[in-house]
Amino acid sequence: MGSVVLSLDAELGWGFHDLADPPSDRVESGRRGWSVMLELLEEFDVPATWAVVGHLMLDSCDGTHTEHPTPEGWFERERGEWQDREDLRFGRDLVTDLLESDVDHEFASHTFSHVLFGHPQTDRELAAAELKRSIEVATEWDCSFESFIYPRNAVGHRDVLAEYGVSTYRGWTPNREGARAVFDSMVRDQSLLVEPYIDDYGLVNVPASLFLFGFEGPARTVAESIWEDPMVALARRGIDEAAANDGTFHMWLHPNNLTTERDDQRMRAILSYLERRRAEADLAVETMADVAQRVRHSRGVDGVSTRIDTQAKASWN
């Protein structure tokens, strides 16, 4: 049976707080995109892996984080320019919406403060602190996670993930976004499927197949004017390929990629097509934890999926 996975990097302002000149349209669209994606996923009954930045789940914060071993200035924007922008720093309402959704989503981690695990300045102590704090915050919500998505796909410190009980992560696949992805798939007929596997730390790597917002700006406008949205075409191709070849197609995006109704229409078109193909073909929609469980089972290793427990929803705030 073929499989389609959709994962989201849910971060609000934390995805940009370390950038000198963050893209204002995406910074301001995080909340909108989060709500739109939840609505679309409910409409088409598509479960997804939501990797949430742990800081969003806090009640409040003074921005000091004195016991957190981040580099000097890491929380500077939170203490300064965004001090009065709680809508960018916190998202308890959005996380509650996610956890209380009628769809069986997976709650996953995107670190505590969007630290880049693959960056040379991120040592083991910092990686461990980010995971430890994420687990503490999730526990306060009666949540747990087994899947992890690296900020900006900077893979690193996989040994720390294994130590703290993470069992699966989204690996990075080169050339799977932008014009290169369109060329490789449509012209060179390169497959969009990926092969999840157990790495040397015992973690299941569920590699990315396609970033759904990697072909933007004037190029997207021109392509749509003479053809169609290239990312919708690629997504359909990946879905069809998964159904035909019993493979895995893993799409991903940030909620803040949905900056206008035009972006909403892209996601609606993709999810609508997925719904139709799921009904007519031997095709499953899985979360990353589902894939990890399947891979471990096929290798004779025990694994338990950690989708959101509906019986625990009443305890979430």
Side-chain angles (χ1 to χ4, degrees), residues 8-271:
L8 299 96
D9 302 15
E11 53 199 30
L12 296 185
W14 291 99
F16 310 99
H17 77 108
D18 59 321
L19 301 181
D21 187 23
S24 58
D25 59 339
R26 290 185 58 197
V27 170
E28 300 299 336
S29 296
R31 285 182 160 271
R32 174 195 179 279
W34 189 311
S35 296
V36 169
M37 280 305 303
L38 276 179
E39 292 172 1
L40 287 172
L41 293 172
E42 288 186 2
E43 178 180 350
F44 295 104
D45 192 25
V46 172
T49 295
W50 288 74
V52 179
V53 169
H55 195 290
L56 299 176
M57 302 170 73
L58 299 180
D59 278 316
S60 61
C61 171
D62 61 8
T64 58
H65 303 283
T66 55
E67 298 182 358
H68 201 59
T70 50
E72 183 177 357
W74 180 250
F75 294 100
E76 182 178 350
R77 184 165 259 123
E78 182 189 21
R79 292 192 294 263
E81 182 182 348
W82 288 354
Q83 184 176 9
D84 297 326
R85 293 297 307 273
E86 293 192 357
D87 58 317
L88 301 180
R89 299 163 53 209
F90 306 107
R92 288 179 64 87
D93 55 330
L94 296 173
V95 176
T96 297
D97 291 342
L98 165 63
L99 298 178
E100 294 182 347
S101 172
D102 291 334
V103 181
D104 201 12
H105 294 304
E106 178 193 4
F107 173 82
S109 175
H110 198 39
T111 74
F112 173 70
S113 64
H114 209 260
V115 163
L116 308 183
F117 274 42
H119 196 284
Q121 293 183 349
T122 301
D123 58 19
R124 196 178 194 282
E125 178 188 14
L126 176 53
E130 282 281 298
L131 272 175
K132 180 181 178 181
R133 190 71 184 100
S134 296
I135 291 171
E136 291 172 348
V137 173
T139 300
E140 293 172 1
W141 284 62
D142 294 324
C143 291
S144 63
F145 58 84
E146 69 170 279
S147 297
F148 183 88
I149 290 181
Y150 285 99
R152 297 185 195 142
N153 298 297
V155 176
H157 297 290
R158 289 176 294 142
D159 58 324
V160 177
L161 266 61
E163 178 183 337
Y164 279 84
V166 172
S167 67
T168 181
Y169 63 95
R170 188 182 72 204
W172 181 238
T173 307
N175 304 325
R176 289 299 178 88
E177 62 180 75
R180 181 60 182 270
V182 175
F183 178 81
D184 284 346
S185 178
M186 298 299 187
V187 179
R188 299 177 60 193
D189 198 30
Q190 187 175 87
S191 174
L192 287 165
L193 302 184
V194 293
E195 184 65 34
Y197 64 91
I198 301 176
D199 71 9
D200 49 348
Y201 290 97
L203 305 172
V204 177
N205 180 357
V206 186
S209 292
L210 181 67
F211 175 44
L212 293 176
F213 284 84
F215 195 89
E216 308 306 307
R220 174 182 177 182
T221 301
V222 171
E224 290 178 341
S225 68
I226 61 176
W227 180 40
E228 64 175 330
D229 185 338
M231 304 315 296
V232 174
L234 281 185
R236 288 202 303 258
R237 183 181 177 92
I239 292 167
D240 287 343
E241 193 177 1
N245 297 287
D246 293 335
T248 300
F249 175 56
H250 184 180
M251 308 177 285
W252 72 279
L253 72 154
H254 312 85
N256 59 50
N257 288 128
L258 277 66
T259 61
T260 67
E261 291 186 4
R262 181 189 188 194
D263 302 318
D264 305 350
Q265 292 168 2
R266 169 181 287 178
M267 292 310 304
R268 173 176 288 279
I270 292 171
L271 295 174

